Amino acid sequence: MIKAVIFDMDGVMIDSEPVHLRLERELFRELGVEITEEEHMTFVGSSSYYMWEKIKERFNLKESVEELVRRDRKRYLDHVLSTGEIIPVPGIQELVKKLFEREYKLAVASSSPIDVIELVVQKLNLKNFFDVLVSGDYVKRSKPYPDIFLYTAEKLRVKPEECVVIEDSYNGVHAAKSAGMKVIGFVNPNSGNQDLSEADFIVKNLGDEVVEIISGLEEEKALK
């Protein structure tokens, strides 16, 4: 029985990937890091610690991973606070409310820091609909590892197999499948050419089709 729906944030709830990528490219230039757009896109969905560990190692940067993460995150948060640029993915607010009305437990499990997650759900007027907000900082290994989803299920007091995850990146889909959860892959063109083939279902919008898929999983379980 499906009891909970877990949402990724960047690329699923808000169209933030273009902003993240632009600001990170600015920081790459400041650090003298030359990285292709294709390689940059492989980090979509992973935590900033994961990305900067890989980049520091490859380019032998003198800055610590912690300092690189701090600069990256501060740049994004300053940008959001100064511009108010939080663009909701079409349909996300209606989807969250419909699932809430059907009494699913709802959570956000994002690689972003908790202050950004809290800011986003508040700006989208969705704060009261979520039972749990989880940052990748809460676990030792964030996406593409399953830890964040297992931690979220524990906080929701549900089993992994009772969860459906909505993700837009390879790293997120792989992490959720590794956690033993059902996964709906959301094709967001702004997240790049992501391999979502591991997902149980793939959708191109966050409308009623998502509700129908989750309801279908309920019926499938009831028949067994």
Side-chain angles (χ1 to χ4, degrees), residues 6-168:
I6 302 172
F7 290 82
D8 177 36
M9 185 181 75
D10 294 295
V12 171
M13 295 183 65
I14 56 172
D15 244 334
S16 54
E17 295 300 357
V19 177
H20 277 297
L21 294 168
R22 185 177 77 246
L23 296 177
E24 285 168 358
R25 281 195 292 270
E26 290 176 3
L27 186 49
F28 291 161
R29 285 195 292 272
E30 291 175 14
L31 295 166
V33 168
E34 293 186 11
I35 189 169
T36 66
E37 183 178 349
E38 184 180 8
E39 187 175 358
H40 193 183
M41 295 303 285
T42 66
F43 294 114
V44 170
S46 65
S47 72
S48 46
Y49 280 94
Y50 179 85
M51 181 182 78
W52 286 109
E53 281 174 359
K54 299 293 185 185
I55 292 175
K56 174 179 169 59
E57 182 180 358
R58 177 178 167 188
F59 293 94
N60 196 28
L61 299 177
K62 67 178 186 297
E63 294 86 354
S64 67
V65 172
E66 289 73 18
E67 172 62 17
L68 293 166
V69 169
R70 186 194 67 77
R71 288 173 63 178
D72 186 0
R73 290 180 168 183
K74 183 177 185 302
R75 187 173 295 233
Y76 178 72
L77 188 56
D78 287 349
H79 172 83
V80 170
L81 291 174
S82 64
T83 65
E85 190 175 6
I86 293 179
I87 304 169
V89 169
I92 186 62
Q93 285 145 310
E94 294 82 1
L95 176 60
V96 168
K97 290 171 184 176
K98 285 179 181 178
L99 293 172
F100 178 82
E101 288 168 2
R102 290 176 181 240
E103 300 185 346
Y104 291 106
K105 292 185 176 183
L106 303 178
V108 177
S110 169
S111 297
S112 292
I114 192 63
D115 53 351
V116 174
I117 299 171
E118 290 174 342
L119 177 63
V120 166
V121 297
Q122 184 175 345
K123 289 280 189 181
L124 297 184
N125 295 315
L126 293 175
K127 182 179 179 181
N128 294 331
F129 295 95
F130 288 102
D131 298 275
V132 175
L133 304 177
V134 177
S135 165
D137 295 342
Y138 292 179
V139 294
K140 185 176 181 180
R141 304 178 304 174
S142 191
K143 306 169 191 177
Y145 299 100
D147 305 35
I148 189 170
F149 292 117
L150 295 173
Y151 179 89
T152 303
E154 183 181 338
K155 289 298 176 183
L156 289 171
R157 297 184 179 179
V158 296
K159 299 174 183 175
E161 60 268 26
E162 295 172 331
C163 300
V164 175
V165 177
I166 304 176
E167 271 283 359
D168 70 310

